[in-house]
Amino acid sequence: MRDSAVLHIKGRVLVGPEAEGAAWDVRDELWVVDGKITYDRPTAARDVRTIEGWVLPGLVDAHCHVGLDTHGAVDESTSEKQALTEREVGALLLRDAGSPADTRWIDGRDDLPRIIRAGRHIARTKRYIRNYAHEIEPGELVAYVAQEARRGDGWVKLVGDWIDREAGDLTACWPRAEVEAAIAEAHRLGARVTAHCFAEETLAPLVEAGIDCVEHATGLTEDTIPLFAERGVAIVPTLVNIATFPKLAKGGEGKFPRWADHMRRLHERRYDTVRAAYDAGVPIYTGTDAGGSLPHGLVGQEVAELVKAGLPAAAALSAATWGARAWLGRPGLSEGASADLVVYESDPRADVRVLTAPRRVVLRGRVVG
């Protein structure tokens, strides 16, 4: 599409719920002029392309890893393919939750999704996947958090727990005092902090230390869910990733039977955990954990998983669109915003599975899919 062309998007534009439980803001049409959204019909448009359907803001994968595979950092060609795969399914805003690769060059590509980076993972020595993280000791934590806060886009990623080979199970990686100091330093530098957490006992100390988000959060219980809700700490459940726990447990049960049993129990109660968190008012956003062992392009499946866990369709959609964009400080379908949107054949509120088959993808005002 030429820069001078105007898009006319008509049908049902789902600008978003006006408030929790209230009426929806649904428009009949919008226009895209010079890459921006407007609800005012342009008066002098000559080259107009019309697209019809149900419209959502570009989807958000709030936990993925562009520039990463099972072995560590990948080259630019592979990173490009990963970003294009996300674009194909309408995921136009990505929060990269840790990558050892330098993907800043993507910011100069108007045809690739926007990325909000959390720098590189920060893990305890020999307590995470090889080649992924800075592997350090507690005394270095504050300095490394400061480093990644400066390198990232307003986020820092900790590995909060991992298998402890001596204990034979998941245990927390960081002492309380070091975590408190590190989170305070990130906040001083204007960055939010998130952490990979599977286990139960890891959560309360992180929340009490001021953490902003927890990834996976499979260890939430009736004791810690109210704490998350009270502090407004978000979770990104990554249910499409938690589905792999039984396979992981089977592979490790010979050496670590306690860990394997723990992982199976976390998996078995995953839907109940997420539903209880939602019912308590814990903010929930979609993330897939793509880029390690999982392929990219799974955000539609993650929304369906949230519905399967018991979230209303509107809440699951918000976790991938309006709500997630507001949480990350990015606009949706507002006047003057960049035209990053996805068009579907039918109403995604009626069946969220339509998210896996977008009719058209518009990125920065250009039709790219």
Side-chain angles (χ1 to χ4, degrees), residues 11-253:
R12 306 300 284 164
V13 180
L14 301 177
V15 180
E18 294 181 344
E20 186 69 26
W24 284 73
D25 183 358
V26 182
R27 315 283 181 92
D28 293 328
E29 60 186 354
L30 64 76
W31 301 80
V32 177
V33 180
D34 295 329
K36 305 293 185 182
I37 291 171
T38 181
Y39 292 95
D40 297 324
R41 181 187 297 269
T43 57
R46 285 185 283 178
D47 185 4
V48 178
R49 177 177 176 181
T50 299
I51 297 173
E52 298 189 36
W54 294 79
V55 185
L56 287 176
L59 305 183
V60 177
D61 188 337
H63 183 135
C64 65
H65 305 277
V66 176
L68 182 70
D69 69 6
T70 54
H71 304 291
V74 299
D75 59 22
E76 290 189 2
S77 175
T78 303
S79 296
E80 179 185 44
K81 290 176 183 176
Q82 293 174 341
L84 286 170
T85 299
E86 296 288 358
R87 191 191 77 179
E88 288 172 4
V89 299
L92 306 183
L93 179 61
L94 313 176
R95 187 180 63 143
D96 192 312
S99 176
D102 180 2
T103 60
R104 285 290 174 190
W105 60 272
I106 290 177
D107 293 348
R109 289 276 299 270
D110 287 344
D111 61 329
L112 297 179
R114 291 171 169 82
I115 300 182
I116 297 171
R117 298 169 184 82
R120 188 173 185 175
H121 304 76
I122 302 173
R124 190 77 177 263
T125 307
K126 296 183 179 180
R127 292 283 301 279
Y128 199 50
I129 304 167
R130 183 179 295 180
N131 300 324
Y132 276 31
H134 295 297
E135 296 191 22
I136 64 169
E137 287 304 295
E140 304 172 279
L141 185 60
V142 172
Y144 271 84
V145 163
Q147 171 185 293
E148 296 310 299
R150 294 185 177 100
R151 288 178 176 176
D153 299 315
W155 284 92
V156 176
K157 169 74 174 294
L158 307 179
V159 177
D161 58 38
W162 196 251
I163 188 170
D164 182 330
R165 287 166 175 79
E166 292 185 6
D169 201 356
L170 299 166
T171 64
C173 293
W174 310 105
R176 173 72 170 264
E178 281 75 8
V179 168
E180 289 178 346
I183 292 174
E185 177 66 3
H187 289 170
R188 186 185 71 81
L189 294 170
R192 289 186 277 182
V193 181
T194 191
H196 161 107
C197 294
F198 288 158
E200 294 86 350
E201 67 272 11
T202 313
L203 297 176
L206 286 172
V207 174
E208 291 167 353
I211 204 160
D212 303 283
C213 179
V214 169
E215 313 298 314
H216 318 301
T218 47
L220 280 170
T221 66
E222 61 182 10
D223 294 323
T224 50
I225 285 173
L227 182 63
F228 273 66
E230 176 188 343
R231 304 287 182 97
V233 177
I235 65 170
V236 182
T238 67
L239 288 168
V240 292
N241 177 47
I242 307 311
T244 68
F245 277 18
K247 181 179 178 180
L248 296 175
K250 184 177 181 180
E253 63 187 345

